[in-house]
Amino acid sequence: MKFKLFITLALLNAFIAFAQKEKDQEQIKKLLERESSTWRLQDAKGHAECWYIQPYSRILVSTADGQTYDVPPSAMTATDPQKMGNGGSAVNSNYKMNIQKQTAWVSHDEISIGIDGKKTYSYEIRLLEKIKKKWKLVGQSIHIYKTE
């Protein structure tokens, strides 16, 4: 009898953990898509809500021509809308996630499409933390590359 109860509780616990992981994955994807969208829409308030800057936050960007930028993390939460994106859209794909309780490491591919139709391709690594039960970005690394 105790063995059956143990097995039942173990299975229930595994099911709950799996369901939570699926929920976290969807919440993270929605956050990343919102962050991309708010940047392009010059929605500084909405973009800032996607972030929670920590003392160890860092934003690194490498460009297709070999430039590297160490962007001040405060730029994610206190940006002049005129210095943000200028329309367009983005498509994120190939998500890979490692979620550990209150932290997550996520990589994905992004195709940014400018209002002129020009496409920019990047590999992105995002660092997230769950703050007050909501996922927030705390760091990122963007690597832009050429497809030819």
Side-chain angles (χ1 to χ4, degrees), residues 28-51 76 79 81 83-92 95 108 110-115 124 126 137 140 142:
I28 288 169
K29 285 180 185 179
K30 285 180 182 177
L31 174 71
L32 297 181
E33 289 168 8
R34 179 172 186 242
E35 191 263 353
S36 293
S37 174
T38 55
W39 181 262
R40 285 163 183 77
L41 294 172
Q42 298 180 330
D43 176 2
K45 181 179 182 295
H47 192 262
E49 290 171 353
C50 297
W51 285 85
M76 300 298 109
T79 300
K83 294 181 181 178
M84 297 175 78
N86 187 19
S89 62
V91 177
N92 295 343
Y95 284 101
H108 66 86
E110 181 171 296
I111 302 172
S112 296
I113 305 155
I115 56 174
E124 306 203 6
R126 311 294 200 106
L137 285 153
Q140 71 180 5
I142 300 172

Side-chain angles (χ1 to χ4, degrees), residues 116-132:
D116 59 359
K118 181 182 174 198
K119 293 181 180 179
T120 303
Y121 299 84
S122 62
Y123 300 120
E124 306 203 6
I125 298 171
R126 311 294 200 106
L127 307 172
L128 300 98
E129 293 181 6
K130 198 176 258 190
I131 309 292
K132 298 180 182 176

Side-chain angles (χ1 to χ4, degrees), residues 22-78:
E22 291 287 314
K23 181 179 175 185
D24 285 335
Q25 288 177 348
E26 286 307 309
Q27 288 174 347
I28 288 169
K29 285 180 185 179
K30 285 180 182 177
L31 174 71
L32 297 181
E33 289 168 8
R34 179 172 186 242
E35 191 263 353
S36 293
S37 174
T38 55
W39 181 262
R40 285 163 183 77
L41 294 172
Q42 298 180 330
D43 176 2
K45 181 179 182 295
H47 192 262
E49 290 171 353
C50 297
W51 285 85
Y52 191 88
I53 302 304
Q54 299 282 24
Y56 43 83
S57 291
R58 195 155 192 194
I59 291 93
L60 297 173
V61 180
S62 61
T63 65
D65 63 358
Q67 299 284 330
T68 302
Y69 298 94
D70 192 351
V71 179
S74 60
M76 300 298 109
T77 58

